[in-house]
């Protein structure tokens, strides 16, 4: 299982490589929700999202022989960019499987970091099976976007940094896609801040983790149609679900319109550009989804990879 020590070791590996992202506060936000809110701005991380932490941590643990052969990954965009950059920094090559309808800015950025991109239809293809076959065919190491302990440990450094900087929290909100970010964060947070409630947030259409927790087992909800492309996951990860079912206090759902409202608030009042998935946890806070809100709340703004055209389309 994942431990706080794993997260601390990951923090040492990424130190000086990943950005120690700022914590943003807003009096306007505090007054609106009735709590002291600390926003961990992972939209300002390298490649524009928290994913760099896990990708770099995982790739840094590969053997010299594995690095000589290269790595593979599958992703709708942020993990793709993270693996591409981390692979380049490690002096190896990367091949990334991405959906045909992935945001063009994310595809362009992934190629810009030097990776080879292969596309597939996310609504008919099994990306895990396709990527596994691709990695085996080429003899390279597969770096999954969330269902991997080294990846989760790297993502957990988000909560580690936040709590080290601001102290004890009553609740921590983070978006949930495959579950790697919140699994890593929960692992660190429950140890560092006893009594904390770690709350996941999903888009209404992509509520596979909420359904799975209610059922007591992983539920395949199909690929959801939501503006939060980073959370368009049909089923929670196998490893992440086992951690999250133990550590999460709740999973709340937000609508696409509430995500848009959070993006607008972040842009106008916080001067931050967030992609839909990056605004998901903030959306739950602004929409009043969290019952018995504690006095001190942490929120992970997970990413900001949205092109100008798409940003205007979403908020126009």
């Amino acid at each position: 299982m994942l431990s706080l020590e794993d997260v601390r070791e990951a923090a040492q590996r990424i130190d000086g490589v990943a950005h120690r992202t700022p914590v943003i506060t807003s009096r306007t936000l505090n007054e609106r929700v009735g709590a002291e809110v600390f926003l961990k701005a992972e939209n300002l991380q390298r490649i524009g999202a928290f994913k760099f932490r896990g990708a770099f941590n995982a790739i840094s643990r590969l053997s010299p022989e594995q690095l000589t052969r290269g790595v593979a990954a599958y992703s709708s965009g942020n993990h793709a960019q993270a693996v591409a950059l981390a692979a380049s920094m490690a002096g190896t090559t990367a091949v990334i499987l991405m959906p045909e309808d992935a945001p063009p800015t994310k595809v362009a950025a992934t190629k810009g970091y030097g990776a080879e991109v292969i596309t597939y239809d996310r609504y008919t293809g099994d990306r895990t099976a396709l990527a596994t076959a691709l990695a085996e065919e080429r003899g390279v190491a597969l770096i999954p976007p969330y269902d991997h302990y080294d990846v989760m440990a790297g993502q957990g450094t988000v909560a580690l940094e936040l709590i080290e900087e601001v102290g004890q929290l009553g609740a921590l909100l983070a978006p949930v896609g495959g579950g790697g970010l919140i699994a890593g964060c929960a692992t660190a947070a429950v140890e560092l801040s006893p009594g904390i409630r770690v709350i996941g947030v999903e888009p209404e259409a992509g509520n596979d983790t909420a359904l799975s927790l209610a059922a007591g087992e992983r539920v395949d909800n199909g690929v959801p149609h939501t503006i939060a492309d980073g959370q368009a996951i049909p089923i929670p990860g196998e490893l992440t679900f086992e951690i999250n079912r133990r550590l999460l206090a709740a999973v709340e759902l937000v609508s696409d319109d509430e995500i848009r409202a959070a993006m607008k608030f972040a842009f106008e009042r916080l001067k931050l550009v967030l992609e839909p998935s990056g605004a998901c946890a903030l959306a739950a806070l602004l929409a009043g989804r969290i019952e018995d809100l504690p006095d001190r709340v942490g929120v992970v703004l997970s990413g900001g990879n949205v092109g100008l055209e798409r940003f205007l389309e979403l908020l126009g």
Side-chain angles (χ1 to χ4, degrees), residues 3-294:
S3 70
L4 175 59
E5 185 58 31
D6 294 324
V7 177
R8 291 194 188 279
E9 290 175 0
Q12 293 177 350
R13 292 188 198 98
I14 70 173
D15 183 39
V17 182
H19 297 323
R20 190 176 181 95
T21 51
V23 176
I24 308 298
T25 58
S26 164
R27 186 175 65 180
T28 299
L29 177 59
N30 292 350
E31 291 175 350
R32 177 164 169 176
V33 304
E36 191 173 8
V37 182
F38 303 93
L39 305 167
K40 184 63 167 165
E42 285 297 293
N43 58 311
L44 302 178
Q45 184 54 260
R46 298 187 78 150
I47 69 92
F50 73 94
K51 291 284 190 177
F52 180 75
R53 297 171 179 269
F56 186 86
N57 185 52
I59 290 175
S60 70
R61 301 205 67 194
L62 295 177
S63 68
E65 180 184 357
Q66 288 173 315
L67 288 174
T68 299
R69 295 180 178 180
V71 299
Y74 53 93
S75 165
S76 66
N78 286 342
H79 181 65
Q81 295 172 73
V83 170
L85 177 58
S88 174
M89 296 175 71
T92 191
T93 58
V95 55
I96 315 290
L97 188 70
M98 299 185 73
E100 293 171 340
D101 61 347
T105 52
K106 294 184 178 182
V107 175
T110 302
K111 292 180 178 178
Y113 288 126
E116 175 188 356
V117 172
I118 297 175
T119 60
Y120 74 103
D121 184 339
R122 78 162 87 210
Y123 300 103
T124 60
D126 182 334
R127 66 178 193 166
T128 305
L130 291 169
T132 300
L134 177 64
E136 290 177 352
E137 174 188 329
R138 300 202 180 186
V140 299
L142 181 62
I143 309 295
Y146 45 83
D147 225 17
H148 190 291
Y149 287 123
D150 290 337
V151 171
M152 285 187 274
Q155 320 306 28
T157 61
V158 172
L160 178 67
E161 289 180 6
L162 175 61
I163 295 171
E164 283 179 348
E165 182 167 339
V166 306
Q168 301 287 297
L169 296 170
L172 175 65
L173 279 60
V176 182
L181 170 64
I182 201 162
C185 285
T187 298
V190 298
E191 293 288 337
L192 295 170
S193 191
I196 192 172
R197 286 189 292 151
V198 181
I199 301 170
V201 185
E202 293 183 300
E204 288 177 341
N207 63 334
D208 53 289
T209 294
L211 291 174
S212 299
L213 291 175
E217 61 183 8
R218 295 163 67 227
V219 173
D220 190 331
N221 196 33
V223 179
H225 292 271
T226 171
I227 62 171
D229 63 279
Q231 294 171 278
I233 308 296
I235 185 171
E238 184 176 350
L239 301 179
T240 60
F241 180 66
E242 289 305 313
I243 294 172
N244 290 331
R245 72 193 301 187
R246 290 188 299 106
L247 300 182
L248 298 195
V251 172
E252 303 295 339
L253 307 180
V254 290
S255 69
D256 280 0
D257 282 345
E258 287 166 342
I259 293 174
R260 289 187 181 94
M263 293 174 65
K264 182 179 180 181
F265 180 89
F267 181 73
E268 291 182 342
R269 305 310 298 261
L270 307 175
K271 311 310 174 189
L272 295 174
V273 174
L274 300 178
E275 63 186 284
S277 298
C280 194
L282 177 61
L285 187 65
L286 291 171
R289 291 285 184 270
I290 313 304
E291 296 183 359
D292 301 320
L293 194 68

